DNA sequence: GGGCTGGTTCAAAAAAAATTGAACCCGGAT
DNA sequence: ATCCGGGTTCAATTTTTTTTGAACCAGCCC
């Protein structure tokens, strides 16, 4: 059994700074710090890392790490690759901004927008049932406005993708 | 002293639904629920409302309401208008998506990006001090990548603004 | 001045979100 | 069949964020 490459247990100054930068960075997207840390250390690592490496180097629990990796995988922000020890799963960061943003839109933004539209539909029904025509008219205006917003949001996504296509 | 128009203390079905829709909606932008509720009730109200109206109708504290109004004002999401009682401050929702997004970019996104850039600069200095040329080269690549990302983000903001300009 | 009312501030409390760690599952080696 | 180690799950705990409410300030009227 090859005593597989023992990664340094402490982060270099640069690694620390970068990990912390990402940790804060992902918060604007509403993601937990640990996700940023994991992505960050993978981003700055020259070779792929396995779960245990992350646990040791970032000093976070196995649980968090496992969950973080799952999320990052579904976002398409990291990918699984082969590594020195055949029975572990190794990961490396995907560096295409387009892909990261795309994953975020697909997994976080779109679902919200969708459920919002559904709720809006239900509100529309209530509006139809409003007695007072003046009030109904007003509510209808507002609902229409929201529908327009939703449509604009949907328009923006593909545009974003295109602009980020280098 | 005119017993100023006593607004209904309970929200109609439509109002409730809409307020709750906004409450959830703003969370994708990482803002607290109360902010969404305040904006929501203003959005669906036919006349401007004052702080006390919001407290009564949304059943949230004066403190939250005051803070929420402040935030919404600095985001440019609501504006102060005249109302029946001259010594209160009344507010109404601004309905231009462009303005809402613009305020959010200006107040929340840009500052983050800016501080991120500063931190990145400091990381760059550390990279310059790296001994091993191979490692330095690699780090440099990564820092460059991040700088490119940052530039792309800045490019996107004005684009967004333009697309949302109806 | 003193009382009133609308609004702000901020420490303390409550609520929500993230993290931990122990139990568990699974596949391969023994 | 059992053991071992990597990985996942999830209830309990910790941390962070949001909300509350009481103290306070400012302008106005008497």
């Amino acid at each position: 059994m090859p005593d597989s490459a023992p990664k340094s247990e402490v982060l270099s100054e640069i690694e620390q700074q970068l990990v912390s930068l990402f940790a804060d960075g992902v918060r604007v997207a509403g993601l937990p710090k640990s996700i940023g840390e994991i992505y960050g250390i993978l981003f700055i690592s020259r070779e792929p890392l396995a779960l245990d490496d992350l646990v040791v180097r970032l000093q976070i629990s196995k649980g968090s790490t496992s969950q973080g990796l799952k999320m990052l995988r579904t976002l398409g922000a990291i990918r699984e690759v082969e590594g020195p020890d055949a029975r572990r799963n190794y990961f490396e960061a995907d560096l295409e901004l387009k892909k990261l943003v795309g994953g975020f839109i697909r997994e976080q933004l779109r679902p919200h927008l969708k459920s919002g539209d559904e709720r809006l539909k239900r509100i529309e029904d209530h509006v139809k049932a409003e007695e007072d025509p003046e009030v109904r008219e007003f509510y209808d205006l507002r609902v229409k406005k929201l529908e327009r917003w939703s449509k604009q949001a949907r328009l923006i996504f593909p545009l974003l993708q295109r602009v980020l296509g280098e």
Side-chain angles (χ1 to χ4, degrees), chain A:
Chain A
M1 164 191 320
D3 197 325
S4 75
K7 243 126 249 141
S8 156
E9 313 228 342
V10 285
L11 273 55
S12 74
E13 182 68 16
I14 288 177
E15 285 170 327
Q16 268 182 51
Q17 302 272 12
L18 203 121
V19 163
S20 150
L21 181 65
F22 273 98
D24 294 350
V26 297
R27 313 250 51 206
V28 318
L31 301 174
K33 187 160 79 128
S34 65
I35 300 255
E37 294 178 326
I38 296 170
Y39 183 82
I41 197 72
L42 289 174
F43 182 93
I44 201 62
S45 169
R46 304 180 69 202
E47 65 275 333
L49 302 177
L51 189 146
D52 282 345
D53 299 325
L54 297 170
V55 168
V56 169
R57 310 205 67 198
L58 297 173
Q59 321 228 70
I60 59 185
S61 70
K62 234 161 58 130
S64 278
T65 309
S66 174
Q67 304 232 70
L69 286 171
K70 177 156 73 166
M71 163 106 277
L72 286 166
R73 249 176 298 150
T74 73
L75 284 177
I78 63 176
R79 62 174 156 260
E80 224 166 322
V81 295
E82 292 297 303
D85 180 348
R87 60 205 193 124
R88 294 182 190 213
N89 302 128
Y90 287 84
F91 299 92
E92 63 182 25
D94 191 315
L95 306 185
E96 278 184 68
L97 187 57
K98 181 163 92 155
K99 213 145 158 225
L100 305 190
V101 173
F104 184 70
I105 291 175
R106 172 169 34 79
E107 298 296 323
Q108 314 279 301
L109 266 30
R110 271 199 204 287
H112 260 274
L113 205 56
K114 183 151 170 290
S115 85
D117 278 352
E118 280 155 14
R119 292 170 74 178
L120 195 51
K121 277 247 165 37
R122 248 170 290 132
I123 292 175
E124 215 172 347
D125 294 342
H126 278 290
V127 171
K128 287 212 186 75
E130 166 66 43
E131 302 280 315
D132 186 335
E134 281 228 29
V135 175
R136 187 172 62 240
E137 183 59 23
F138 175 79
Y139 283 166
D140 204 50
L141 231 59
R142 287 294 183 268
V143 168
K144 288 260 165 58
K145 173 66 80 176
L146 281 178
E147 276 163 359
R148 194 133 14 102
W149 286 7
S150 171
K151 208 169 288 176
Q152 299 211 56
R154 284 169 197 288
L155 264 170
I156 283 174
F157 294 159
L159 181 80
L160 262 192
Q161 299 278 79
R162 204 151 53 71
V163 173
L164 295 179
E166 317 295 290

